[in-house]
Amino acid sequence: MTKAQMQHFFEQCYEKLVQSDMNVLPNIPTAMQANPHETTEWKHWKLVPALCTEEDFTNLEKELGIQLPAILKLFLSTYHHYFEAPIGKNPMTEPFSALYDAYNPILIQHQYLPFTWDKEYAYIRCICLEHMPDAHRCPIYEIDHEILFDFEEDEPIPKAEIAKHMHFVADNFESYLQKCLEEMV
């Protein structure tokens, strides 16, 4: 997926929200307000080109202890936005917000990179990293977050124990995004 294709994805999603007047939230920073002259607490937000740098990604990878797929970096470095799950927020004030919100060290230990939640916030969505760096071969799975309460971070957990609770969502991140777009309002 190219930068232009990723921009097109976000712009299509945003247009769907605008058409249904669902791009309204409280406490939007001025730079992300579609109309800074709105006087209500709830304001229309807009897409803003992302300010994420390669250094930001290097620091994030060190913090998480994992290499991010190139397509996820592209996703996170295209626009700052307030899309809800299953896309996940990436506001200017908290870049990588959705990633941090879905973070789970047990999943990362087993090569599942949590990046957002499902619409009901019951399932954590993950990129399976077994076939990195070939992101086209990295499927998307989800796991009920309550299952993770049964495991201790500091105890060894067989990968098969985690894998049996994973539910397939999409062939890869690109097909996942397409699915999200199709399912939007």
Side-chain angles (χ1 to χ4, degrees), residues 99-156:
L99 207 63
Y100 285 121
D101 189 39
Y103 176 80
N104 184 285
I106 293 170
L107 295 174
I108 288 179
Q109 288 172 17
H110 293 88
Q111 293 189 299
Y112 293 105
L113 175 59
F115 65 93
T116 194
W117 292 79
D118 71 321
K119 283 184 180 181
E120 287 79 35
Y121 288 86
Y123 289 84
I124 299 173
R125 299 268 167 99
C126 307
I127 302 171
C128 179
L129 301 175
E130 288 180 357
H131 299 289
M132 280 288 290
D134 185 359
H136 283 33
R137 294 183 55 222
C138 292
I140 307 302
Y141 289 95
E142 66 183 10
I143 187 169
D144 185 331
H145 77 285
E146 290 187 10
I147 289 168
L148 298 169
F149 296 141
D150 295 338
F151 302 109
E152 297 292 330
E153 281 180 45
D154 54 350
E155 291 181 16

Side-chain angles (χ1 to χ4, degrees), residues 9-179:
F9 161 77
F10 279 114
E11 290 160 4
Q12 287 179 300
C13 290
Y14 183 73
E15 187 57 36
K16 285 186 175 195
L17 285 184
V18 168
Q19 287 174 0
S20 58
D21 200 31
M22 295 184 66
N23 67 320
V24 180
L25 290 171
N27 306 317
I28 302 296
T30 304
M32 291 191 73
Q33 293 176 16
N35 181 359
H37 303 294
E38 283 181 316
T39 58
T40 62
E41 178 184 347
W42 289 68
K43 304 200 186 276
H44 290 84
W45 61 269
K46 66 180 179 180
L47 296 171
V48 174
L51 304 173
C52 307
T53 65
E54 194 56 43
E55 182 180 352
D56 294 330
F57 287 118
T58 299
N59 292 337
L60 180 62
E61 288 174 332
K62 284 180 187 174
E63 182 181 341
L64 299 178
I66 203 160
Q67 182 183 0
L68 298 174
I71 194 164
L72 184 61
K73 286 182 181 181
L74 179 62
F75 175 78
L76 295 169
S77 65
T78 299
Y79 283 117
H80 288 296
H81 56 82
Y82 284 99
F83 290 112
E84 296 290 337
I87 295 173
K89 296 177 183 177
N90 187 25
M92 292 174 72
T93 55
E94 293 180 72
F96 317 131
S97 177
L99 207 63
Y100 285 121
D101 189 39
Y103 176 80
N104 184 285
I106 293 170
L107 295 174
I108 288 179
Q109 288 172 17
H110 293 88
Q111 293 189 299
Y112 293 105
L113 175 59
F115 65 93
T116 194
W117 292 79
D118 71 321
K119 283 184 180 181
E120 287 79 35
Y121 288 86
Y123 289 84
I124 299 173
R125 299 268 167 99
C126 307
I127 302 171
C128 179
L129 301 175
E130 288 180 357
H131 299 289
M132 280 288 290
D134 185 359
H136 283 33
R137 294 183 55 222
C138 292
I140 307 302
Y141 289 95
E142 66 183 10
I143 187 169
D144 185 331
H145 77 285
E146 290 187 10
I147 289 168
L148 298 169
F149 296 141
D150 295 338
F151 302 109
E152 297 292 330
E153 281 180 45
D154 54 350
E155 291 181 16
I157 304 161
K159 181 166 181 137
E161 188 62 29
I162 297 294
K164 77 179 184 182
H165 296 289
M166 288 291 181
H167 305 281
F168 178 81
V169 175
D171 289 332
N172 53 45
F173 196 71
E174 191 170 342
S175 62
Y176 174 78
L177 294 178
Q178 185 60 40
K179 190 182 248 189

